[in-house]
Amino acid sequence: MLSHLLARYLCANLEVDIVAYGGSKPHATILEQRSIHIHEMAQWPIIPRSLPRILRPLMLLLKAVTQFLMLLQFLCFKIPAPDVFIVQNPPSVPTLVAVKWASWLRGSAFIVDWHNFGYTLLALSLGRSSPLVALYHWIEKHYGRMSDGSLCVTKAMQHELEQNWGIKATVLYDQPPEFFHLASLEERHQLFCRIHNDLTQPRGLQDCVSYGIDTGRVDFSETLFTAGEGSDIFLKEHRPALIVSSTSWTPDEDFDILLEAAVMYDRRVAALLNEDDSTSEEILWKDICDGKQFPYPRLLFVITGKGPDKEKYEEKIKTLKLKRVSFRTMWLSAEDYPLLLGSADLGVCLHTSSSGLDLPMKVVDMFGSGLPVCAVSYSCIEELVKVGQNGLLFSSSSELADQFLMLFKGFPDDCPTLKSLKNGALKTASSDRWATTWEANAMPLISEASLSLHG
């Protein structure tokens, strides 16, 4: 998130102060920038699920008041007075209020960068009929209309803001930072060496990926996907297909869809190959690893991120009895995550959008890494995912399973549709980067807002 925030706001010869929550270390290229000054706030502790429901509104109110006071302290006293405050929304409460007040006190312009609507996110947990959601909506709309300018991430959101909120916004599509790119063979090999133990340790019992792997070895001339030494590195012929999905493990991403699709792929391949149910798992895994089950490969799903629903889904994964599919969950450094995307064969996005008007930044990152995507279909996703060009859309687990079968049949060499989508993702990545979109869309708005305030 921080890398995208900086990418949206940073351009040549600007001093940028970022006030944000910590929790993970930013990418090294960000930390090395002398013009970027990061100010970390203490995070509010996660509200325990065991807390009685009647007390949750009180805790949310206490959280908002505490964060409001903390934000004012940073914005009014701990950073130099800026020409422009730019606040990413959501969160809306108390962020919009605090930044607006700070802009008054410090004589700065106030610009809102709309990534979604905060009240729709709150409604996921409290329900649309909640009085707190109505109050949140009013605050978000009232303070949003007090801005000196607005940016937003889709044309659909631009239309909604203008028609129903009375806010004119400029569309600034997210673009991937430069460190998202197609990984070289050497970069892939080094990455797979670093995360070898995470990839080979199954969630539960032994599976088709951990079969035959000596997790205690020290020699990293061979990984699950690559082999060789020095510059003489090659991709293994019978490697698993690597599928990546990143998530914050929240209710707006239904991972049951992915788990069900994995089970369907596993069973449908078995049916297509007329597999004998009496075959032992050990013999079956050996045949799959040796390529005897061609043309359908093993699938290794790597799910990155951390969040409240992670443990729930990890327990579900342990109960699945899959023969050709494996799952791994992990948290990667800011340097290794882009390399994982640049090394994978397919990305999966389960983001459904609480408002139906925002776009998933994870897909932007995937395209920046030349990674084609299968994404959940919703109202404005086609502003980003071009069906048949850089990705596919699905509405059910069965449809996603069909896409896996179609894309990976003949993997790794004889899968033309997957290769075509990959080429499309690479073209998407090369078409626009931050320099051109920033200069064309964001800079004029920021300059106008600053000049109108300061003359």
Side-chain angles (χ1 to χ4, degrees):
M1 179 67 76
L2 183 57
S3 63
H4 276 279
L5 191 64
L6 290 168
R8 285 182 78 84
Y9 306 153
L10 182 65
C11 61
N13 303 317
L14 288 182
E15 291 289 324
V16 179
D17 286 280
I18 295 288
V19 178
Y21 290 119
S24 59
K25 186 178 179 182
H27 196 279
T29 57
I30 294 173
L31 297 175
E32 291 166 1
Q33 290 284 342
R34 294 185 178 181
S35 58
I36 300 175
H37 314 284
I38 299 174
H39 310 268
E40 289 189 13
M41 298 186 299
Q43 286 188 298
W44 182 264
I46 296 175
I47 299 175
R49 292 178 179 270
S50 58
L51 186 74
R53 189 176 182 84
I54 195 172
L55 295 179
R56 293 184 71 85
L58 179 63
M59 290 296 292
L60 289 172
L61 179 62
L62 181 60
K63 175 182 178 180
V65 171
T66 303
Q67 289 178 331
F68 175 75
L69 296 174
M70 189 187 306
L71 266 173
L72 278 184
Q73 180 186 17
F74 273 87
L75 299 177
C76 294
F77 301 105
K78 291 195 174 184
I79 65 171
D83 294 319
V84 180
F85 278 111
I86 305 179
V87 56
Q88 180 173 299
N89 184 75
S92 314
V93 178
T95 315
L96 291 182
V97 183
V99 178
K100 181 57 185 176
W101 285 26
S103 71
W104 275 334
L105 293 170
R106 310 205 74 173
S108 305
F110 170 53
I111 290 177
V112 180
D113 184 9
W114 298 85
H115 276 242
N116 200 351
F117 295 132
Y119 82 95
T120 62
L121 288 170
L122 185 62
L124 291 176
S125 57
L126 298 184
R128 287 285 181 120
S129 61
S130 169
L132 276 180
V133 172
L135 176 62
Y136 199 107
H137 186 194
W138 182 88
I139 294 172
E140 186 173 22
K141 185 174 183 178
H142 178 72
Y143 278 90
R145 295 174 69 174
M146 297 174 73
S147 66
D148 300 302
S150 289
L151 299 166
C152 64
V153 293
T154 65
K155 292 178 182 178
M157 184 177 289
Q158 181 188 46
H159 180 78
E160 169 69 14
L161 286 169
E162 184 170 2
Q163 294 297 313
N164 298 319
W165 294 56
I167 296 171
K168 290 188 176 181
T170 298
V171 177
L172 178 63
Y173 287 116
D174 274 310
Q175 301 294 343
E178 296 294 337
F179 46 77
F180 285 94
H181 63 274
L182 183 65
S184 66
L185 274 176
E186 185 176 357
E187 286 176 323
R188 296 183 194 193
H189 185 70
Q190 292 174 355
L191 170 69
F192 295 141
C193 286
R194 285 196 296 274
I195 64 175
H196 175 78
N197 287 337
D198 291 319
L199 292 176
T200 55
Q201 294 293 336
R203 292 289 171 190
L205 302 175
Q206 188 182 50
D207 57 29
C208 64
V209 168
S210 62
Y211 172 77
I213 299 293
D214 181 6
T215 57
R217 68 183 176 82
V218 180
D219 179 17
F220 286 118
S221 61
E222 183 177 354
T223 72
L224 275 174
F225 305 93
T226 57
E229 294 184 5
S231 59
D232 186 21
I233 298 170
F234 59 91
L235 291 170
K236 295 167 71 171
E237 183 180 2
H238 300 304
R239 65 186 182 275
L242 178 57
I243 304 174
V244 175
S245 185
S246 57
T247 181
S248 53
W249 298 105
T250 49
D252 61 346
E253 294 188 331
D254 184 0
F255 263 82
D256 283 322
I257 294 176
L258 181 59
L259 301 188
E260 290 168 5
V263 173
M264 290 178 185
Y265 172 87
D266 201 62
R267 292 175 179 172
R268 290 176 186 178
V269 171
L272 287 168
L273 297 176
N274 296 315
E275 189 174 283
D276 186 352
D277 290 336
S278 64
T279 305
S280 72
E281 286 184 339
E282 292 287 328
I283 294 175
L284 180 63
W285 288 338
K286 185 178 187 305
D287 288 345
I288 294 173
C289 293
D290 290 342
K292 293 181 181 179
Q293 296 294 311
F294 185 81
Y296 297 102
R298 295 169 288 167
L299 303 184
L300 173 57
F301 290 90
V302 175
I303 306 172
T304 69
K306 52 186 176 182
D309 289 340
K310 182 179 179 180
E311 290 185 6
K312 179 183 80 172
Y313 280 108
E314 285 182 332
E315 289 304 312
K316 283 190 175 184
I317 290 170
K318 289 179 182 178
T319 65
L320 300 178
K321 295 182 179 180
L322 301 170
K323 297 177 180 179
R324 290 175 176 81
V325 180
S326 300
F327 282 89
R328 303 290 185 266
T329 58
M330 62 181 69
W331 174 259
L332 294 167
S333 69
E335 287 75 28
D336 280 347
Y337 175 64
L339 291 177
L340 178 66
L341 296 187
S343 304
D345 300 298
L346 181 70
V348 172
C349 176
L350 297 162
H351 177 81
T352 52
S353 175
S354 61
S355 66
L357 300 171
D358 71 314
L359 294 175
M361 288 188 293
K362 67 191 74 179
V363 174
V364 175
D365 294 338
M366 288 172 180
F367 287 159
S369 305
L371 184 62
V373 173
C374 290
V376 171
S377 179
Y378 63 91
S379 57
C380 68
I381 188 65
E382 290 189 56
E383 288 190 41
L384 178 60
V385 179
K386 309 300 181 184
V387 176
Q389 297 179 30
N390 55 20
L392 300 173
L393 299 178
F394 61 89
S395 300
S396 66
S397 53
S398 179
E399 193 173 0
L400 179 57
D402 287 339
Q403 291 173 359
F404 291 154
L405 285 165
M406 182 265 294
L407 291 174
F408 289 110
K409 183 180 180 181
F411 182 85
D413 298 321
D414 188 20
C415 41
T417 304
L418 181 63
K419 291 181 179 179
S420 175
L421 293 180
K422 191 171 189 67
N423 290 334
L426 287 169
K427 289 179 181 177
T428 301
S430 62
S431 60
D432 282 309
R433 286 286 179 172
W434 272 112
T436 54
T437 54
W438 175 274
E439 291 293 338
N441 300 303
M443 204 59 191
L445 175 72
I446 294 171
S447 299
E448 181 181 349
S450 182
L451 287 173
S452 64
L453 189 68
H454 301 103

